[in-house]
Amino acid sequence: MDLEQRPEDTPDERYGWYVVFILILAYTISYVDRQILTLMVEPIKASLHISDVQVSLLHGLAFAVFYTLLGVPIARLADRYRRVTIITAGVFVWSAMTALCGVTRSFGQLFAARVGVGVGEAALSPAAYSMLADYFGKKNLPKAMSVYTGAIYLGAGLALIAGGALIGLVPAVEMPLVGHMEPWQTVFLLVAAPGLVVGLLVATLREPPRRGMGTTKADFPSLGELAAYMNARRTTYALLIFGYAAGGLMWNGATAWIATFFIRNFGYTAAQIGLIFGIILLTIGTASITVGGLIASRWRAAGRTDANLLVGILSAAIALPFGIAAPLVASPALSLVLFAAFVFGGAMPYGCAAAAFQEITPNRMRAQVSSIYFLGLNLAGIGLGPTVVALFTEKLFQDPKAVGLALALTIGIASLVSMLLLWLARKSYRATLEAMDA
């Protein structure tokens, strides 16, 4: 049953920051479960006898398709029913499916289990974004969204650090009922366990009253009304969705293959590059998205209504030169420094992106619009990004060690497209905001 709605209530931002903390835990665990495969490319390839392109499908398409497609109907539930319950169920589902990844014996089985991880994780962010928009006012919303979204880099960093360490420490084992398990399979089981605790914590959160336009059950829009609202503002929504999607392709394509680049081209072990690049993601990535939110909040307070978009443009402009140079230099130390600068640029915009969609969308459509944004972002980013790099490596350059050239090409093209589309979106975005505030 839907909770009683009190749209006149002011945001409870003090409790909201506690909610941000718990949701960060959930998002961090989700990214660990999602990204742990990044560091296990070579052992999985050897164990299952698969190619780079098949690995990219496990990393991207298997996860992304149902993650994005189911995001829309789940978000529709989140716009109408209790969001805390929806997120809690999602945490338990993706944790169970991550554990199932550890007992698979073929490419097809692992692909299906990765689909299940995506199904569970589809319940998290659209509902979380909707909740945070009800806990924070416009001034602090970009900051709260950026702090929450920073869990992407916290989780990705922990996945690399923990994954590298575990692969080096965990031996092959014989398990009752399951039989022989390679170290990479055991790692999946180990990283799934914390999700059970996090799911229980999420279940204790208070559901916030819905605020803003369309806050009562009677105001819940039909799919036709949702389509009509977005169609009337199609230029704004299309440019935002495709602009951030291009940035997502750049980011996910790069981060899926950077560890493998160092293993193949500089002789790093999984544990070595996992620790180093994991720390880079955890520290610089988290700091970058927080800085992006602070910049947007300051610009917003100064009257720049398109502040969230300007941060996205700044992000791609920083990522472009460093991302191209990093995989092309001969020194591994210099390459790491350049990739760290790329991470600072590329990690910056996603809290602001989430806030941008919340600002131009009525309350009862927020989770659904967020899920449509995720549809574009993740089909392009998670679904296509890793595979674009793999296809450039295998088909264009035809050399596993040419993954660096593939990274540079992917980053260069995608970052330019992202900057162009977000720049073009600024005028219509400002007009949409002005119409809502009138």
Side-chain angles (χ1 to χ4, degrees), residues 237-252:
Y237 279 113
L239 288 172
L240 288 182
I241 290 170
F242 287 108
Y244 288 120
L249 191 152
M250 173 194 72
W251 176 259
N252 287 279

PDB file of all heavy atoms in Angstrom, residues 237-252:
ATOM      1  N   TYR A 237      15.320  16.029 -23.281  1.00  0.00           N
ATOM      2  CA  TYR A 237      15.553  14.671 -22.795  1.00  0.00           C
ATOM      3  C   TYR A 237      16.475  13.888 -23.734  1.00  0.00           C
ATOM      4  O   TYR A 237      17.373  13.168 -23.280  1.00  0.00           O
ATOM      5  CB  TYR A 237      14.221  13.927 -22.624  1.00  0.00           C
ATOM      6  CG  TYR A 237      13.511  14.257 -21.332  1.00  0.00           C
ATOM      7  CD1 TYR A 237      12.308  14.947 -21.333  1.00  0.00           C
ATOM      8  CD2 TYR A 237      14.042  13.878 -20.111  1.00  0.00           C
ATOM      9  CE1 TYR A 237      11.649  15.257 -20.145  1.00  0.00           C
ATOM     10  CE2 TYR A 237      13.386  14.167 -18.912  1.00  0.00           C
ATOM     11  CZ  TYR A 237      12.192  14.860 -18.944  1.00  0.00           C
ATOM     12  OH  TYR A 237      11.555  15.155 -17.764  1.00  0.00           O
ATOM     13  N   ALA A 238      16.285  14.009 -25.041  1.00  0.00           N
ATOM     14  CA  ALA A 238      17.099  13.242 -25.984  1.00  0.00           C
ATOM     15  C   ALA A 238      18.568  13.644 -25.912  1.00  0.00           C
ATOM     16  O   ALA A 238      19.466  12.780 -25.862  1.00  0.00           O
ATOM     17  CB  ALA A 238      16.572  13.423 -27.408  1.00  0.00           C
ATOM     18  N   LEU A 239      18.830  14.952 -25.894  1.00  0.00           N
ATOM     19  CA  LEU A 239      20.226  15.397 -25.842  1.00  0.00           C
ATOM     20  C   LEU A 239      20.888  14.998 -24.528  1.00  0.00           C
ATOM     21  O   LEU A 239      22.061  14.600 -24.509  1.00  0.00           O
ATOM     22  CB  LEU A 239      20.292  16.911 -26.034  1.00  0.00           C
ATOM     23  CG  LEU A 239      19.995  17.408 -27.457  1.00  0.00           C
ATOM     24  CD1 LEU A 239      19.899  18.929 -27.477  1.00  0.00           C
ATOM     25  CD2 LEU A 239      21.066  16.934 -28.442  1.00  0.00           C
ATOM     26  N   LEU A 240      20.147  15.091 -23.430  1.00  0.00           N
ATOM     27  CA  LEU A 240      20.706  14.675 -22.150  1.00  0.00           C
ATOM     28  C   LEU A 240      20.998  13.176 -22.133  1.00  0.00           C
ATOM     29  O   LEU A 240      22.091  12.737 -21.741  1.00  0.00           O
ATOM     30  CB  LEU A 240      19.745  15.017 -21.007  1.00  0.00           C
ATOM     31  CG  LEU A 240      19.589  16.487 -20.614  1.00  0.00           C
ATOM     32  CD1 LEU A 240      18.639  16.603 -19.437  1.00  0.00           C
ATOM     33  CD2 LEU A 240      20.930  17.103 -20.266  1.00  0.00           C
ATOM     34  N   ILE A 241      20.025  12.369 -22.545  1.00  0.00           N
ATOM     35  CA  ILE A 241      20.192  10.919 -22.501  1.00  0.00           C
ATOM     36  C   ILE A 241      21.352  10.475 -23.388  1.00  0.00           C
ATOM     37  O   ILE A 241      22.237   9.714 -22.957  1.00  0.00           O
ATOM     38  CB  ILE A 241      18.882  10.208 -22.905  1.00  0.00           C
ATOM     39  CG1 ILE A 241      17.826  10.402 -21.801  1.00  0.00           C
ATOM     40  CG2 ILE A 241      19.126   8.714 -23.161  1.00  0.00           C
ATOM     41  CD1 ILE A 241      16.435   9.956 -22.196  1.00  0.00           C
ATOM     42  N   PHE A 242      21.398  10.948 -24.621  1.00  0.00           N
ATOM     43  CA  PHE A 242      22.465  10.518 -25.527  1.00  0.00           C
ATOM     44  C   PHE A 242      23.812  11.140 -25.154  1.00  0.00           C
ATOM     45  O   PHE A 242      24.862  10.519 -25.344  1.00  0.00           O
ATOM     46  CB  PHE A 242      22.092  10.838 -26.974  1.00  0.00           C
ATOM     47  CG  PHE A 242      21.035   9.944 -27.541  1.00  0.00           C
ATOM     48  CD1 PHE A 242      19.749  10.402 -27.764  1.00  0.00           C
ATOM     49  CD2 PHE A 242      21.325   8.611 -27.823  1.00  0.00           C
ATOM     50  CE1 PHE A 242      18.768   9.560 -28.273  1.00  0.00           C
ATOM     51  CE2 PHE A 242      20.346   7.765 -28.328  1.00  0.00           C
ATOM     52  CZ  PHE A 242      19.063   8.235 -28.553  1.00  0.00           C
ATOM     53  N   GLY A 243      23.797  12.361 -24.619  1.00  0.00           N
ATOM     54  CA  GLY A 243      25.050  12.977 -24.194  1.00  0.00           C
ATOM     55  C   GLY A 243      25.695  12.232 -23.047  1.00  0.00           C
ATOM     56  O   GLY A 243      26.902  11.937 -23.074  1.00  0.00           O
ATOM     57  N   TYR A 244      24.895  11.892 -22.034  1.00  0.00           N
ATOM     58  CA  TYR A 244      25.450  11.134 -20.910  1.00  0.00           C
ATOM     59  C   TYR A 244      25.742   9.688 -21.309  1.00  0.00           C
ATOM     60  O   TYR A 244      26.658   9.057 -20.765  1.00  0.00           O
ATOM     61  CB  TYR A 244      24.498  11.183 -19.717  1.00  0.00           C
ATOM     62  CG  TYR A 244      24.459  12.534 -19.035  1.00  0.00           C
ATOM     63  CD1 TYR A 244      23.276  13.266 -18.940  1.00  0.00           C
ATOM     64  CD2 TYR A 244      25.620  13.090 -18.493  1.00  0.00           C
ATOM     65  CE1 TYR A 244      23.245  14.507 -18.326  1.00  0.00           C
ATOM     66  CE2 TYR A 244      25.596  14.336 -17.876  1.00  0.00           C
ATOM     67  CZ  TYR A 244      24.411  15.036 -17.794  1.00  0.00           C
ATOM     68  OH  TYR A 244      24.379  16.280 -17.185  1.00  0.00           O
ATOM     69  N   ALA A 245      24.974   9.142 -22.255  1.00  0.00           N
ATOM     70  CA  ALA A 245      25.240   7.782 -22.726  1.00  0.00           C
ATOM     71  C   ALA A 245      26.599   7.690 -23.411  1.00  0.00           C
ATOM     72  O   ALA A 245      27.340   6.711 -23.231  1.00  0.00           O
ATOM     73  CB  ALA A 245      24.142   7.331 -23.682  1.00  0.00           C
ATOM     74  N   ALA A 246      26.959   8.711 -24.203  1.00  0.00           N
ATOM     75  CA  ALA A 246      28.275   8.718 -24.847  1.00  0.00           C
ATOM     76  C   ALA A 246      29.378   8.766 -23.798  1.00  0.00           C
ATOM     77  O   ALA A 246      30.402   8.082 -23.913  1.00  0.00           O
ATOM     78  CB  ALA A 246      28.387   9.910 -25.796  1.00  0.00           C
ATOM     79  N   GLY A 247      29.166   9.571 -22.750  1.00  0.00           N
ATOM     80  CA  GLY A 247      30.130   9.595 -21.656  1.00  0.00           C
ATOM     81  C   GLY A 247      30.219   8.259 -20.945  1.00  0.00           C
ATOM     82  O   GLY A 247      31.304   7.820 -20.540  1.00  0.00           O
ATOM     83  N   GLY A 248      29.085   7.591 -20.792  1.00  0.00           N
ATOM     84  CA  GLY A 248      29.082   6.272 -20.159  1.00  0.00           C
ATOM     85  C   GLY A 248      29.808   5.233 -20.982  1.00  0.00           C
ATOM     86  O   GLY A 248      30.493   4.357 -20.443  1.00  0.00           O
ATOM     87  N   LEU A 249      29.676   5.319 -22.317  1.00  0.00           N
ATOM     88  CA  LEU A 249      30.415   4.392 -23.189  1.00  0.00           C
ATOM     89  C   LEU A 249      31.915   4.593 -23.018  1.00  0.00           C
ATOM     90  O   LEU A 249      32.675   3.623 -22.914  1.00  0.00           O
ATOM     91  CB  LEU A 249      29.999   4.609 -24.641  1.00  0.00           C
ATOM     92  CG  LEU A 249      30.469   3.572 -25.662  1.00  0.00           C
ATOM     93  CD1 LEU A 249      29.489   3.482 -26.830  1.00  0.00           C
ATOM     94  CD2 LEU A 249      31.860   3.853 -26.194  1.00  0.00           C
ATOM     95  N   MET A 250      32.336   5.849 -22.971  1.00  0.00           N
ATOM     96  CA  MET A 250      33.752   6.147 -22.748  1.00  0.00           C
ATOM     97  C   MET A 250      34.221   5.556 -21.421  1.00  0.00           C
ATOM     98  O   MET A 250      35.243   4.858 -21.356  1.00  0.00           O
ATOM     99  CB  MET A 250      33.960   7.663 -22.733  1.00  0.00           C
ATOM    100  CG  MET A 250      35.362   8.101 -22.355  1.00  0.00           C
ATOM    101  SD  MET A 250      35.475   9.871 -21.939  1.00  0.00           S
ATOM    102  CE  MET A 250      34.643   9.911 -20.328  1.00  0.00           C
ATOM    103  N   TRP A 251      33.475   5.829 -20.354  1.00  0.00           N
ATOM    104  CA  TRP A 251      33.898   5.426 -19.013  1.00  0.00           C
ATOM    105  C   TRP A 251      33.903   3.908 -18.845  1.00  0.00           C
ATOM    106  O   TRP A 251      34.891   3.313 -18.394  1.00  0.00           O
ATOM    107  CB  TRP A 251      32.991   6.068 -17.966  1.00  0.00           C
ATOM    108  CG  TRP A 251      33.295   5.618 -16.570  1.00  0.00           C
ATOM    109  CD1 TRP A 251      32.624   4.694 -15.835  1.00  0.00           C
ATOM    110  CD2 TRP A 251      34.388   6.051 -15.761  1.00  0.00           C
ATOM    111  NE1 TRP A 251      33.221   4.527 -14.606  1.00  0.00           N
ATOM    112  CE2 TRP A 251      34.308   5.346 -14.547  1.00  0.00           C
ATOM    113  CE3 TRP A 251      35.420   6.968 -15.947  1.00  0.00           C
ATOM    114  CZ2 TRP A 251      35.229   5.536 -13.512  1.00  0.00           C
ATOM    115  CZ3 TRP A 251      36.341   7.152 -14.917  1.00  0.00           C
ATOM    116  CH2 TRP A 251      36.240   6.446 -13.720  1.00  0.00           C
ATOM    117  N   ASN A 252      32.808   3.255 -19.193  1.00  0.00           N
ATOM    118  CA  ASN A 252      32.701   1.811 -18.981  1.00  0.00           C
ATOM    119  C   ASN A 252      33.606   1.028 -19.928  1.00  0.00           C
ATOM    120  O   ASN A 252      34.159  -0.003 -19.536  1.00  0.00           O
ATOM    121  CB  ASN A 252      31.250   1.359 -19.141  1.00  0.00           C
ATOM    122  CG  ASN A 252      30.389   1.775 -17.966  1.00  0.00           C
ATOM    123  OD1 ASN A 252      30.381   1.141 -16.933  1.00  0.00           O
ATOM    124  ND2 ASN A 252      29.669   2.875 -18.118  1.00  0.00           N
TER     125      ASN A 252
END
